[in-house]
Amino acid sequence: MRADGLSKGAGTAGSEAVLRLALKLDGAVSGLVAALSLLGARMLDEALGLPAWLHWGQGGFLAVYAAALWYGATRETVVRPIAVAAVVLNVVWALGCAALLTAGWFAITTLGVCYVGFIGVAVLVFASLQVAGLRRAAA
């Protein structure tokens, strides 16, 4: 028992709550985007102006990523290396979105620009929440 009357596990769980939530939200959204990408790649190809192979690749990656996030968030103690990797990957993903929008590799539709831009912003929000959770858990 600690001086405040809480067991070590109870204090850790409370300090990790923000990190757990951030990882679970990121995992849930990534899982949904994975399913959309894998199941709707041909439809998304036309609507967004991005090739089906890109959606399939994104979907495959995000399915594994989502599972890893959920695993890391649901252990008794959050798996810190997974949380740190999530921050790095989210920042890299946002940079990839920016590159996709500015490089002119594909004839991206207006809807595609909105989709990629929204994803870029969303992953930065997830990264920010995860950093806040990591800091709080370390305190």
Side-chain angles (χ1 to χ4, degrees):
M1 279 287 200
R2 295 184 337 196
D4 60 8
L6 298 173
S7 69
K8 182 179 178 190
T12 302
S15 65
E16 291 183 338
V18 172
L19 182 56
R20 280 184 198 283
L21 178 62
L23 293 172
K24 286 180 177 179
L25 284 172
D26 192 357
V29 171
S30 295
L32 290 172
V33 174
L36 175 66
S37 297
L38 291 169
L39 299 173
R42 297 241 185 252
M43 178 187 67
L44 292 172
D45 181 347
E46 293 178 25
L48 304 179
L50 297 167
W53 62 263
L54 191 62
H55 296 291
W56 287 320
Q58 171 181 264
F61 172 80
L62 287 177
V64 173
Y65 177 72
L69 291 180
W70 202 262
Y71 173 83
T74 58
R75 301 302 96 198
E76 185 175 335
T77 301
V78 172
V79 181
R80 198 168 175 83
I82 290 176
V84 172
V87 172
V88 172
L89 289 171
N90 278 325
V91 171
V92 169
W93 199 271
L95 292 172
C97 288
L100 193 61
L101 291 174
T102 59
W105 295 322
F106 307 105
I108 303 175
T109 65
T110 301
L111 182 60
V113 169
C114 293
Y115 175 81
V116 173
F118 178 78
I119 288 174
V121 170
V123 297
L124 287 177
V125 169
F126 288 137
S128 297
L129 290 171
Q130 290 156 353
V131 167
L134 283 163
R135 285 185 177 157
R136 183 172 177 182

